[in-house]
Amino acid sequence: MSTPKFRVAICGGGVGGLTLAVALSRYPDIVVDVYEAAQSFYEVGAGIGIWPRAFKVLRKLGHNIEQQLLQRCGYQLTEEYVPGIKYRKSDQPAGIQLFELMTKGDLMRFHRADFHGVLLSHLPPSCTTHNGKRLKSYIQPFKHRSRNSPITLIFTDGSTATCDVLIGADGIKSVVRSCMMRELAECMDPGERQSVLSCINPVWSGVTAHRTLIPAEKLRARCPDHRVLGGEMTQYLGKDAFFLAYTVSLGKYINIAGFTLQPDLLDTVYEADGRFPRRSFDGKANSEWVGELTAKQFVEPFKDFEKDAKLLLECVDRGTLWAVHTVKTLPSTNFGRVALLGDAAHAMLPFQGAGAGMSIEDAYLLATVLGNKATTLDTVPRALAIYDKLRRPFSSDVALRSRFNGQLCAFQTDVPLHQLGNTITKNWEWAWLTELDDALKEAVMLVENSSINIS
């Protein structure tokens, strides 16, 4: 193997980090190290959903990856419009169906460990994985004579490593983001520093999530012909609270994801203004992000919903409460030879199921600019700035769209009920009617023509 043009360190082995590692494998002159804090890459717990726009990106990683992913989600690819979620107005004794969301192609749903397993099996020899490596900080040289010197990574176990390019794919509590915002603040005027520093920590969005699984047999014993048992994804809407129910594990269980939304905090969730500190979460979980709920506590926000909803809620034994946090809109997702992707860059509300897909898109575009033959160690900062130019505005727009979806479902807007379906569809259809390809073409053009100003 010839001398590599640079070494990339990816901190975080989640969806975005592993997608980036696989995407970079197309470029044999780039050496990759993936550092994961957990002892295993095979995460457990919640599944992930990927809309057609992001799945088209995954298909670019190769036919084998595409086929293995399709085998694990059980879907056939289609370009036809298919029924998605049914929406009901449920905060009244007799609920009514409002509309059914139709999407061009399916939402592909995966068990997280299955998804990770496919990507891990396609990592090349030029990529080395490291488990049990939680980043503490990094040091990026800036002096003129040493500006291309290696970046030093410092881990919590006391060990160190070096790289030429550092990518923070380390999630909403990103250490890379924390260090980068401090670096960036040092270059700012004193009056702007606090705004930048306020982006370090995630903020509570004003949303709490109620999550649980119930055995399908338990609901079947109460109501054999319940709509959810027939495979319908149903969203039960109410003022300031709603929940989604659908079958998982081939119909063995029913997943319930409920939400409560506090309008005052939701309206300001992405404002990067350090002068006005936001209220922290201080509910059931005692300022922690996750807590346990009894059955009574779980159903409380939905206690006045229609009978169809109550039949589901009566099957709940216990659940968990999640304080949903997000990342403020960042002033930049790159600095020098360091960049952020996925939740580290733009953790958003879950109301469009876009988080995993956004990480995949970030990763592929990032690999495209880094792997281009015109990108050298000297021009890495420009390549990362191109990535930021093309991805940050788009991800910020999706974050706002996701927030708006939640507000629509919680009846916190002025949109009348008869326009709700059309409004939600128009707000969401980017996920199945648009593609990343135009941004990829622009990225290549900007990388290969250094005379174009990207500021």
Side-chain angles (χ1 to χ4, degrees):
M1 177 180 169
S2 60
T3 303
K5 67 176 182 177
F6 48 71
R7 178 181 290 272
V8 175
I10 303 170
C11 279
V15 171
L18 290 181
T19 301
L20 176 59
V22 173
L24 286 173
S25 70
R26 297 173 300 160
Y27 309 103
D29 56 349
I30 296 178
V31 176
V32 178
D33 289 278
V34 181
Y35 297 96
E36 167 57 36
Q39 295 300 324
S40 170
F41 285 98
Y42 294 92
E43 294 187 24
V44 296
I48 57 175
I50 298 173
W51 288 107
R53 175 181 159 112
F55 195 77
K56 288 177 182 177
V57 176
L58 288 172
R59 296 178 72 185
K60 296 176 186 294
L61 298 178
H63 180 72
N64 287 342
I65 290 179
E66 175 189 346
Q67 291 304 308
Q68 289 179 32
L69 288 173
L70 288 174
Q71 289 171 8
R72 282 157 177 78
C73 74
Y75 287 92
Q76 296 295 321
L77 281 180
T78 178
E79 293 287 332
E80 301 298 319
Y81 275 88
V82 295
I85 305 168
K86 291 188 175 180
Y87 289 76
R88 298 181 60 80
K89 188 178 188 308
S90 298
D91 57 346
Q92 56 195 47
I96 56 172
Q97 180 161 319
L98 297 173
F99 74 100
E100 182 173 27
L101 182 70
M102 300 291 292
T103 63
K104 194 172 188 291
D106 287 300
L107 171 66
M108 315 294 270
R109 298 195 293 271
F110 299 91
H111 188 287
R112 193 171 294 266
D114 289 342
F115 186 89
H116 285 189
V118 171
L119 294 182
L120 283 166
S121 69
H122 286 83
L123 291 180
S126 59
C127 177
T128 305
T129 60
H130 312 262
N131 289 100
K133 290 295 181 183
R134 184 179 299 277
L135 190 70
K136 181 180 180 182
S137 62
Y138 68 81
I139 300 171
Q140 179 175 198
F142 280 111
K143 292 182 179 179
H144 179 70
R145 289 186 178 180
S146 61
R147 63 188 177 90
N148 283 346
S149 297
I151 298 168
T152 300
L153 310 180
I154 304 167
F155 298 97
T156 56
D157 63 4
S159 63
T160 61
T162 60
C163 64
D164 299 309
V165 183
L166 171 60
I167 306 300
D170 49 344
I172 188 171
K173 297 180 180 180
S174 172
V175 172
V176 179
R177 183 182 68 245
S178 176
C179 294
M180 181 194 291
M181 290 302 107
R182 289 187 172 92
E183 283 184 323
L184 191 58
E186 288 297 315
C187 301
M188 295 286 190
D189 294 332
E192 299 176 317
R193 286 177 185 169
Q194 189 55 44
S195 178
V196 174
L197 293 173
S198 76
C199 295
I200 289 176
N201 294 320
V203 297
W204 181 41
S205 62
V207 175
T208 54
H210 295 225
R211 297 176 177 174
T212 195
L213 286 173
I214 62 174
E217 284 303 318
K218 194 171 183 180
L219 177 61
R220 189 170 284 111
R222 291 175 177 269
C223 184
D225 58 351
H226 194 281
R227 70 181 70 250
V228 173
L229 292 173
E232 291 184 11
M233 290 184 68
T234 305
Q235 189 98 277
Y236 298 90
L237 309 184
K239 178 63 177 172
D240 299 332
F242 57 90
F243 73 87
L244 175 69
Y246 56 92
T247 56
V248 294
S249 299
L250 300 178
K252 186 177 181 181
Y253 295 100
I254 297 168
N255 185 64
I256 297 179
F259 302 93
T260 65
L261 292 76
Q262 296 192 22
D264 60 327
L265 290 180
L266 206 64
D267 281 340
T268 60
V269 62
Y270 296 112
E271 291 184 3
D273 192 336
R275 297 172 301 169
F276 304 103
R278 291 172 58 85
R279 184 166 80 252
S280 297
F281 179 69
D282 59 358
K284 165 70 180 174
N286 298 319
S287 297
E288 295 296 326
W289 290 17
V290 183
E292 300 298 317
L293 291 174
T294 64
K296 182 178 180 180
Q297 291 168 332
F298 187 97
V299 305
E300 178 64 25
F302 323 106
K303 64 182 180 181
D304 295 324
F305 276 26
E306 62 170 309
K307 182 180 178 181
D308 196 86
K310 287 182 177 178
L311 286 167
L312 284 160
L313 297 172
E314 288 166 359
C315 297
V316 173
D317 289 327
R318 66 183 65 85
T320 54
L321 178 76
W322 297 64
V324 181
H325 285 63
T326 67
V327 170
K328 291 182 179 182
T329 302
L330 302 182
S332 177
T333 58
N334 72 292
F335 191 72
R337 288 178 282 129
V338 181
L340 304 169
L341 70 76
D343 280 355
H346 45 64
M348 58 188 66
L349 292 166
F351 302 130
Q352 287 198 332
M358 295 298 288
S359 296
I360 290 165
E361 292 187 28
D362 287 349
Y364 196 85
L365 194 142
L366 197 48
T368 299
V369 297
L370 289 175
N372 190 283
K373 63 182 182 299
T375 300
T376 64
L377 185 57
D378 280 326
T379 62
V380 161
R382 176 180 169 87
L384 297 183
I386 291 168
Y387 159 78
D388 177 73
K389 175 183 175 66
L390 296 176
R391 289 301 296 166
R392 183 159 52 97
F394 186 83
S395 59
S396 296
D397 179 65
V398 172
L400 294 177
R401 288 174 179 273
S402 188
R403 178 181 72 176
F404 186 47
N405 250 30
Q407 292 170 316
L408 288 166
C409 291
F411 303 143
Q412 292 178 352
T413 73
D414 295 329
V415 176
L417 284 180
H418 71 275
Q419 293 180 10
L420 192 66
N422 185 60
T423 304
I424 287 178
T425 301
K426 290 296 183 184
N427 185 51
W428 207 341
E429 62 187 10
W430 66 269
W432 51 87
L433 293 185
T434 68
E435 297 183 3
L436 184 65
D437 289 11
D438 287 344
L440 293 172
K441 291 176 184 176
E442 184 175 358
V444 171
M445 183 267 294
L446 291 173
V447 168
E448 295 181 351
N449 191 340
S450 60
S451 64
I452 299 176
N453 188 345
I454 59 172
S455 59

